[in-house]
Amino acid sequence: MSAIDILVSEVGPRDGLQNIKAIMSTEAKKAWIRAEAEAGVAEIEVGSFVPPKLLPQLADTAEVAEYACGIPGLTVAALVPNLKGAENAIKAGVHKITLPLSVSETHSLANLNKTHAQVYEEVQKITALLNTLPPDQRPGFEGGLSTAFGCTFEGEVAEKNVVKMAVKLMELGCDEVCLSDTAGYANPAQLRRLIRLVRAEVGDDSLAAVHLHNTRGLGLANTVVALEEGITTIDASLGGLGGCPFAPGASGNIVTEDLVFMLDAMGLKTGIDLDKLLKVRDIVIAALPGEIMHGFTPAFFKPSHPQ
Ligand code: ZN
């Protein structure tokens, strides 16, 4: 595979689907993931290992993850809320796990029903488990700093807390941290400042990814700043599906298609074929009738609404 400049990490099958009422069939999820991998997307977050009662939309995560792990060259990522989730993710064979830690404790309680101290305990247990695995079976372990830019419940989030918690996650054994704009509050100046503050403490290599939402339309503006700061992994969701069920008003990750168009136009290699990627929308549209698919790029590449 030719070298890429920026890794576009598709999170739609997890972040997108968890925030909508409709439940996508397992077969459609598999078709979506395969088609996107064939379009050149090298990393896909395929689900979340949470109890099916909490997120029925993602109840088939184990099956979907096992299927995705059979797709050559694809890095399969999954969210895990605790040790149990990590055990199941490892059993399914995923290559990367992300544990979300909300900087806002109110959000942490709503999202995981856990205080910060309790989440740290889970991180420790997961690290201990990972350390028992042979290196070739050990998934990467990312700590996702949710609500790093603001919280629907608590409002402003103190930057010093984000930095402190990033340091703590690294001390407890995470391989890297990610800054997540869970509720879409980030602005470019804030993002630049926070990337620099966190990297000054954990090192550049330990913060290589950002997870941005487009709730207020600043997703791509924020992305450009992340690129300027040397971030190399950008999360996005096909058709901008996504959000957070516990952050009322939050809707939509940045749109994968628009992100790939922008990166291409900037001369940055993603390894993704935009035409093929745009065709993947048809799978999602067919599987989720009535669901809004966002994005500007499709209108130019394929006039699917000729009227
Ligand atoms: Zn998100």
Side-chain angles (χ1 to χ4, degrees):
M1 211 176 99
S2 62
I4 60 168
D5 298 312
I6 301 298
L7 176 65
V8 173
S9 181
E10 170 66 49
V11 299
R14 194 278 301 171
D15 205 344
L17 295 182
Q18 82 171 47
N19 195 44
I20 59 173
K21 285 204 179 70
I23 297 179
M24 186 184 272
S25 72
T26 306
E27 290 316 305
K29 289 182 189 180
K30 290 177 181 176
W32 175 6
I33 290 163
R34 176 165 290 276
E36 220 173 303
E38 285 173 356
V41 174
E43 180 175 295
I44 303 182
E45 192 172 63
V46 299
S48 184
F49 285 89
V50 293
K53 270 199 312 271
L54 293 182
L55 284 176
Q57 301 96 318
L58 304 182
D60 56 1
T61 291
E63 185 184 340
V64 173
E66 280 173 29
Y67 173 81
C69 288
I71 299 174
L74 178 66
T75 297
V76 179
L79 213 72
V80 302
N82 51 31
L83 176 65
K84 180 82 192 150
E87 286 169 352
N88 290 333
I90 291 165
K91 220 178 287 172
V94 310
H95 309 113
K96 180 177 164 186
I97 57 175
T98 298
L99 182 133
L101 170 64
S102 296
V103 181
S104 149
E105 197 151 36
T106 315
H107 185 269
S108 184
L109 286 163
N111 192 31
L112 297 186
N113 196 24
K114 282 188 169 56
T115 63
H116 287 158
Q118 289 170 322
V119 178
Y120 290 139
E121 271 175 43
E122 297 298 323
V123 175
Q124 267 173 313
K125 288 184 208 164
I126 292 169
T127 301
L129 171 65
L130 293 176
N131 288 341
T132 66
L133 299 174
D136 62 332
Q137 288 169 32
R138 185 192 188 283
F141 185 19
E142 179 186 80
L145 289 154
S146 306
T147 66
F149 301 90
C151 169
T152 313
F153 302 121
E154 292 191 6
E156 209 174 308
V157 164
E159 290 178 347
K160 67 175 192 323
N161 290 345
V162 182
V163 176
K164 199 173 71 187
M165 292 168 77
V167 171
K168 181 86 176 170
L169 285 172
M170 293 303 296
E171 284 172 359
L172 292 178
C174 286
D175 300 315
E176 57 179 318
V177 291
C178 169
L179 294 176
S180 293
D181 187 19
T182 314
Y185 285 104
N187 69 66
Q190 178 192 23
L191 181 67
R192 191 186 305 280
R193 202 165 56 234
L194 205 50
I195 289 171
R196 290 181 182 183
L197 285 170
V198 171
R199 279 185 154 179
E201 296 301 321
V202 303
D204 289 5
D205 292 346
S206 300
L207 172 58
V210 290
H211 176 95
L212 301 168
H213 280 242
N214 198 37
T215 316
R216 292 164 183 80
L218 299 187
L220 288 184
N222 288 331
T223 302
V224 170
V225 162
L227 297 173
E228 286 173 357
E229 291 299 312
I231 294 291
T232 50
T233 298
I234 310 283
D235 286 3
S237 174
L238 195 79
L241 283 173
C244 174
F246 303 105
S251 69
N253 293 92
I254 56 173
V255 176
T256 310
E257 305 88 305
D258 291 350
L259 173 65
V260 170
F261 172 77
M262 183 181 83
L263 294 170
D264 275 354
M266 292 170 77
L268 293 166
K269 287 199 280 293
T270 63
I272 300 170
D273 181 321
L274 185 55
D275 282 320
K276 281 190 186 168
L277 181 71
L278 288 164
K279 292 198 178 75
V280 183
R281 287 170 67 96
D282 295 340
I283 296 172
V284 179
I285 289 167
L288 297 172
E291 212 58 58
I292 296 171
M293 293 286 280
H294 302 275
F296 291 96
T297 311
F300 296 100
F301 273 74
K302 186 167 77 78
S304 52
H305 304 290
Q307 70 274 26

